[in-house]
Amino acid sequence: DSGVTQTPKHLITATGQRVTLRCSPRSGDLSVYWYQQSLDQGLQFLIQYYNGEERAKGNILERFSAQQFPDLHSELNLSSLELGDSALYFCASSVGTPIGTQYFGPGTRLLVL
Amino acid sequence: SQQGEEDPQALSIQEGENATMNCSYKTSINNLQWYRQNSGRGLVHLILIRSNEREKHSGRLRVTLDTSKKSSSLLITASRAADTASYFCATADSGAGSYQLTFGKGTKLSVIP
């Protein structure tokens, strides 16, 4: 158990819909990262927050957005969903620096029908 | 885009044998990390090797790093069925302003009892 929690574990929705994925980092970790893992693209970095502020952006679509709240939990919002958005979405956390060890949550499996 | 590229893509060995996976990368790095992922689950950090280190051990794991060849290898000795998983290398770029780990597409290891 990494100490990172993600909800929900599974999500099935329809194209065009909007969903929110939630992540609670390990106690004491200030940084939260979001990743998307699909069969064809591998593990893609989406975005990082550090202590409530956006720190780095990766391959995140404009239809996707995220935020980190004062209690350090984070939410990833996915809107206007397309079939190709079906993937595993992981949250990870670290104490601070993004280039140290990251601790991954169990993931949310999203299926868009 | 992928920085690290693992080789081979898939590896099947008998229990008790050693497994070697390789990772090549393109740019200068601060450190290189190896992670394990059991099917459909979150990634688990295995080991981090800094750019000024050449070899590191952790239990049955041995990691080497050759910065001149921009490559790393992960050796798992005396493999067990429980080692069956995908293994990813992740690089932390040493360029200024880099705030992310970049993951390869992984090596899928199958250990046959």
Side-chain angles (χ1 to χ4, degrees):
Chain A
D1 184 2
S2 67
V4 178
T5 60
Q6 289 187 249
T7 57
K9 288 186 180 178
H10 302 277
L11 202 47
I12 302 174
T13 188
T15 55
Q17 295 297 304
R18 173 190 167 96
V19 297
T20 297
L21 313 183
R22 183 188 168 102
C23 167
S24 292
R26 290 190 324 156
S27 177
D29 285 356
L30 299 179
S31 281
V32 169
Y33 314 82
W34 286 98
Y35 293 88
Q36 179 193 59
Q37 186 179 39
S38 59
L39 283 174
D40 55 343
Q41 292 293 322
L43 196 67
Q44 298 284 322
F45 167 72
L46 296 178
I47 197 164
Q48 180 211 351
Y49 278 82
Y50 175 80
N51 203 21
E53 293 188 3
E54 182 184 304
R55 181 59 65 91
K57 258 186 174 178
N59 301 320
I60 188 166
L61 300 172
E62 285 191 9
R63 300 183 285 109
F64 296 179
S65 64
Q67 54 184 327
Q68 186 179 28
F69 295 87
D71 67 352
L72 301 179
H73 91 270
S74 177
E75 292 181 356
L76 179 67
N77 301 296
L78 315 176
S79 61
S80 302
L81 285 166
E82 301 175 359
L83 296 177
D85 297 327
S86 295
L88 268 168
Y89 290 85
F90 288 106
C91 166
S93 73
S94 71
V95 173
T97 173
I99 61 173
T101 300
Q102 293 186 15
Y103 297 89
F104 281 74
T108 293
R109 186 177 293 276
L110 173 67
L111 181 59
V112 182
L113 299 175
Chain B
S1 62
Q2 308 301 125
Q3 156 80 305
E5 294 289 337
E6 290 91 341
D7 168 60
Q9 289 187 331
L11 180 61
S12 185
I13 59 173
Q14 296 288 327
E15 202 166 29
E17 293 180 340
N18 295 341
T20 299
M21 288 158 268
N22 302 296
C23 170
S24 60
Y25 57 92
K26 297 171 185 170
T27 64
S28 297
I29 60 170
N30 179 287
N31 67 64
L32 186 145
Q33 304 176 34
W34 286 91
Y35 288 78
R36 184 189 75 226
Q37 183 182 32
N38 290 85
S39 180
R41 301 200 170 194
L43 279 72
V44 175
H45 180 260
L46 296 176
I47 199 163
L48 181 155
I49 185 165
R50 293 187 168 77
S51 59
N52 61 354
E53 297 176 309
R54 291 296 166 259
E55 189 170 310
K56 207 161 182 180
H57 297 255
S58 177
R60 294 183 296 113
L61 306 181
R62 174 181 158 234
V63 168
T64 61
L65 179 64
D66 187 334
T67 53
S68 66
K69 294 181 180 178
K70 291 187 168 56
S71 67
S72 173
S73 68
L74 170 67
L75 168 67
I76 303 174
T77 60
S79 64
R80 305 167 182 167
D83 295 328
T84 295
S86 291
Y87 291 81
F88 296 85
C89 69
T91 52
D93 294 343
S94 60
S98 179
Y99 293 106
Q100 59 179 285
L101 290 181
T102 306
F103 287 81
K105 290 201 171 183
T107 291
K108 192 167 185 177
L109 173 66
S110 298
V111 180
I112 303 164

